[in-house]
Amino acid sequence: MLNGKVAVITGGTRGIGFEIARKYLQNHATVVVFGSRKETADKAYALLHQEFPNASIDAMAPDLSSYHSILEALTKVKSTYGSLDIMVNNAGVSANDRIYEYDPENFEKIMALNVNAVFYGSKIAAEIMKEQGGGVILNTSSIVSLYGQPSGCGYPTSKFAVNGLTQSLARELGKDNIRVNAVAPGVTETDMMKAVPKEILKPIIEKISLNRIGKPEEVADAFLFLASDMASYITGVVLPVDGATII
Ligand code: NAD
């Protein structure tokens, strides 16, 4: 489904991003994963290379809080692999602090990664994609972008912003043949969820129509579909992959 395409996945070293990398490699894309540290990027590279020994894989660790660091990394991808066809802005962090205890610095940290880095990655990718005649930008949102959550307001705030960026850029970039979509996962079995206390998780699972937490590979399937030509007429959507979570 992605033969000959070059894809970058931020937060591609574990969880949902790692499964997106695997799906894209299974479908013959060149995949560059961005990790937060060189060691985790190298580790993900080793795992992916072991599973896909003949595939074109790369791993980098640009500082996602820096526009110039992302610019340097994406420029390198373009010059090394010839194009940037799929940009997946997936890296994200969450926090559960109540408003009374919320340290403003922590709020800013969430915005820096979950919003600013998505803007930087989209802006630079759009410039490259416009020049080459098109491309696909995909963002990882969350179902909390539809409902909010009862504590940790920074995280849903950031994901509402991701939806705003997705829908606005879809309208702005359509004429340049760039599609922009987001996937809004529900509760998904990754390290991020392992940090959530059981008492918070249990009532959430009770609200999932399919009565279970999602698997990262199920979320990654949506990223595969939206990146592929099967979604050639789909742009500006925020696709929930949440087993019909009725909050
Ligand atoms: P995870 O914690 O397993 O992975 C997060 C990824 O982000 C990692 O690859 C990590 O390296 C990267 N990352 C974290 N901080 C970074 C930083 N400062 N700089 C660069 N990279 C950084 O979590 P996940 O569940 O796979 O999350 C991936 C995306 O899915 C996030 O945007 C998250 O908000 C979203 N999401 C997750 C769930 C869930 O239930 N797991 C639900 C909805 C949305």
Side-chain angles (χ1 to χ4, degrees), residues 10-17 34-37 40 62-65 89-94 113-114 140-143 155 159 183-193:
T10 73
T13 57
R14 61 169 199 252
I16 291 169
F34 284 4
S36 52
R37 288 179 293 125
T40 52
D63 175 3
L64 296 189
S65 69
N89 296 299
N90 165 73
V93 279
S94 170
L113 183 66
N114 295 13
T140 307
S141 181
S142 163
I143 51 159
Y155 182 67
K159 297 300 187 179
V183 173
V187 186
T188 311
E189 239 177 78
T190 65
D191 289 352
M192 183 180 269
M193 269 306 130

Side-chain angles (χ1 to χ4, degrees), residues 112-193:
L113 183 66
N114 295 13
V115 182
N116 297 6
V118 177
F119 167 73
Y120 300 154
S122 301
K123 175 176 164 55
I124 299 159
E127 280 160 7
I128 295 171
M129 289 170 181
K130 183 181 181 199
E131 201 186 288
Q132 73 192 13
V136 179
I137 297 172
L138 299 176
N139 301 322
T140 307
S141 181
S142 163
I143 51 159
V144 302
S145 75
L146 308 172
Y147 311 111
Q149 65 186 33
S151 70
C153 62
Y155 182 67
T157 302
S158 73
K159 297 300 187 179
F160 273 80
V162 167
N163 294 0
L165 202 52
T166 302
Q167 289 174 335
S168 302
L169 290 182
R171 295 180 66 174
E172 188 174 339
L173 300 176
K175 64 179 179 319
D176 298 321
N177 193 31
I178 300 168
R179 295 189 294 107
V180 188
N181 291 299
V183 173
V187 186
T188 311
E189 239 177 78
T190 65
D191 289 352
M192 183 180 269
M193 269 306 130

